Amino acid sequence: MIPILDSKRQYQQIANEVEPAVIEVMRSGLYIMGKNCKALEEELAQYVGTKYSVVMNSGTDALHLALRALDIGEGDEVITVAFTFVATTEAIGIVNATPVFVDIDPDTFNLDADKLEALITPRTKAIIPVHLYGQACDMDKIMAVAKKHNLYVIEDCCQAIGATYKGQKVGTFGDVGCFSFYPTKNLGTMGDGGAVVLNDEKIKDRIIALRNHGGAIRYYHDEIGVNSRLDEIQAAILRVKLPYIDEWNTKRREHAQKYNELFAKCEDVVTPKELDDTYCVYHQYTVKVPNRDIVHKLLQENGVGAMIYYPVPLHLQKVHEKFGFKEGLLPVTEDNTKLVLSLPMFAELTEEEQETVAKTLIDCIEKSKTLACV
């Protein structure tokens, strides 16, 4: 079996550093929001290139608390995409705002910035561009629209730490950048974790209070908040891993180039595209293939752990049925959800495994053509 991700291989590389760091935390008796969390906030801000970072327990809370800190709520509209994990719109729903969906670019799977302005109404308050699969959005166009209409921009960078647009890291263009450290991410911990990065001190202080039951001072609460503190063990693990992220992202890019070469002569496999002046970190290597569902089943049967992200776009999910979204609203999104297939991608993937994946995929596509006619 060639898995979509093998976190055990990464652990073998860093075990000699991670285990002492975790043991030190356990022996310290200080398990929540201690010195490792504080140091991680400083190191993460320095890495991304912002003044501040605030760590918390998930990327979902990063999005949710960013919206709260910007006073986005009931009656407000937030423009985003339907081709993403549900956490993006879940955060919008938690604050009782309304999601407004924009279609995607068929090559990058990201928000189509040319379609943004037509969706803006007097109720529009913010845009959430999602840097999907590690590919940066067209931030020049997005920020120009936001500036013209005085809108907040909250970047969903949960799959894209280290990705850049014109040499600038994602998360630093908008008002707040949101990251996830879920174990499958390029920079993942061994539990849940998340963070926001930003340059505005007032917004930073509000998020700090919101993550800790709505109070900046212990036992003094100014508003309803949440319990979204990061634990010291996860912070210690992330501090060990952070210095490796550029190396791991480079390896992912090398693997993507290898896949591109392996599929160069196969017209049935549409490989992912990068925008000019971007640095994609390939959280996923996602191709488009015919007879996708049949091909996916055949790959699984032949030991290749390919995955489908995401089979049903968010505007057609039951959770959003109250808004009355109908099929046909987002034709590019809807077409791509029927075609996309993510192949094994992680830094420790071997060239031999990639060759096996590519050969198996091509064989499965050919077999699917016969099965699709039955």
Side-chain angles (χ1 to χ4, degrees):
M1 184 71 180
I2 302 173
I4 190 78
L5 170 72
D6 189 346
S7 57
K8 291 182 291 186
R9 297 190 205 180
Q10 184 186 89
Y11 177 71
Q12 290 168 0
Q13 179 185 354
I14 60 172
N16 290 338
E17 297 174 74
V18 165
E19 290 175 5
V22 170
I23 290 171
E24 181 181 350
V25 172
M26 290 191 292
R27 289 174 174 171
S28 73
L30 301 174
Y31 303 137
I32 298 287
M33 299 303 302
K35 67 175 185 179
N36 281 291
C37 287
K38 180 176 176 57
L40 177 61
E41 289 179 334
E42 295 171 356
E43 292 159 4
L44 185 61
Q46 183 178 14
Y47 173 76
V48 174
T50 55
K51 291 181 180 178
Y52 310 111
S53 166
V54 181
V55 296
M56 54 197 65
N57 75 356
S58 68
T60 306
D61 268 359
L63 292 160
H64 160 217
L65 297 184
L67 289 163
R68 282 282 309 276
L70 296 172
D71 291 317
I72 296 171
E74 189 170 3
D76 296 327
E77 294 176 347
V78 180
I79 300 175
T80 191
V81 291
F83 194 50
T84 178
F85 184 58
V86 70
T88 308
T89 53
E90 189 173 41
I92 297 170
I94 289 171
V95 300
N96 294 315
T98 301
V100 175
F101 292 112
V102 61
D103 216 343
I104 61 171
D105 179 277
D107 293 327
T108 65
F109 309 117
N110 282 339
L111 182 155
D112 187 339
D114 292 330
K115 298 177 180 177
L116 259 180
E117 200 158 16
L119 297 171
I120 294 172
T121 74
R123 296 173 58 192
T124 307
K125 193 76 171 285
I127 304 168
I128 301 182
V130 181
H131 304 293
L132 195 72
Y133 300 147
Q135 167 75 277
C137 294
D138 189 338
M139 293 309 298
D140 279 352
K141 289 183 179 180
I142 293 169
M143 294 307 299
V145 171
K147 183 177 180 180
K148 179 180 177 180
H149 295 275
N150 195 30
L151 304 176
Y152 292 118
V153 174
I154 300 168
E155 293 179 68
D156 185 337
C157 312
C158 289
Q159 299 183 4
I161 189 163
T164 65
Y165 176 82
K166 295 187 176 180
Q168 183 176 336
K169 285 189 171 68
V170 298
T172 63
F173 293 89
D175 297 277
V176 184
C178 301
F179 293 86
S180 167
F181 303 127
Y182 187 73
T184 62
K185 298 300 194 289
N186 293 32
L187 179 64
T189 188
M190 296 178 188
D192 268 316
V196 298
V197 298
L198 67 170
N199 291 309
D200 188 297
E201 185 176 14
K202 184 178 179 181
I203 299 172
K204 180 261 296 182
D205 289 343
R206 178 97 184 273
I207 291 174
I208 288 174
L210 285 168
R211 77 170 175 190
N212 193 27
H213 300 287
I217 302 172
R218 193 175 188 182
Y219 300 129
Y220 292 82
H221 308 280
D222 302 316
E223 59 182 320
I224 297 296
V226 297
N227 178 1
S228 188
R229 298 169 298 209
L230 184 66
D231 73 70
E232 278 286 284
I233 288 178
Q234 304 307 332
I237 293 166
L238 288 166
R239 292 189 65 206
V240 170
K241 287 188 171 187
L242 183 58
Y244 288 97
I245 188 60
D246 287 340
E247 174 190 332
W248 292 337
N249 283 343
T250 297
K251 288 181 178 178
R252 285 173 176 265
R253 287 182 58 81
E254 291 171 355
H255 298 334
Q257 181 58 39
K258 179 64 177 178
Y259 272 138
N260 290 344
E261 294 169 1
L262 291 168
F263 295 126
K265 296 181 180 180
C266 181
E267 294 181 357
D268 288 323
V269 179
V270 179
T271 54
K273 305 293 190 298
E274 292 187 44
L275 288 175
D276 292 338
D277 298 320
T278 61
Y279 184 91
C280 179
V281 295
Y282 290 97
H283 173 61
Q284 301 294 340
Y285 181 88
T286 302
V287 298
K288 293 190 275 190
V289 298
N291 307 316
R292 192 273 314 276
D293 291 344
I294 297 174
V295 170
H296 179 235
K297 184 173 184 292
L298 291 171
L299 284 171
Q300 296 286 337
E301 291 172 355
N302 284 273
V304 174
M307 290 286 289
I308 298 172
Y309 308 100
Y310 302 92
V312 180
L314 292 180
H315 68 297
L316 300 179
Q317 296 269 3
K318 184 177 180 180
V319 68
H320 294 132
E321 65 181 3
K322 67 179 180 180
F323 297 110
F325 300 124
K326 302 296 183 183
E327 192 167 354
L329 176 68
L330 305 171
V332 180
T333 296
E334 292 164 25
D335 286 347
N336 276 272
T337 57
K338 300 178 179 71
L339 298 171
V340 293
L341 187 67
S342 296
L343 303 180
M345 171 57 78
F346 47 97
E348 300 79 17
L349 193 65
T350 68
E351 187 171 312
E352 182 180 9
E353 286 173 321
Q354 285 194 270
E355 290 169 351
T356 299
V357 169
K359 182 180 184 304
T360 306
L361 176 58
I362 293 169
D363 290 345
C364 289
I365 290 172
E366 287 303 311
K367 187 174 181 181
S368 76
K369 294 175 182 178
T370 301
L371 294 173
C373 295
V374 175

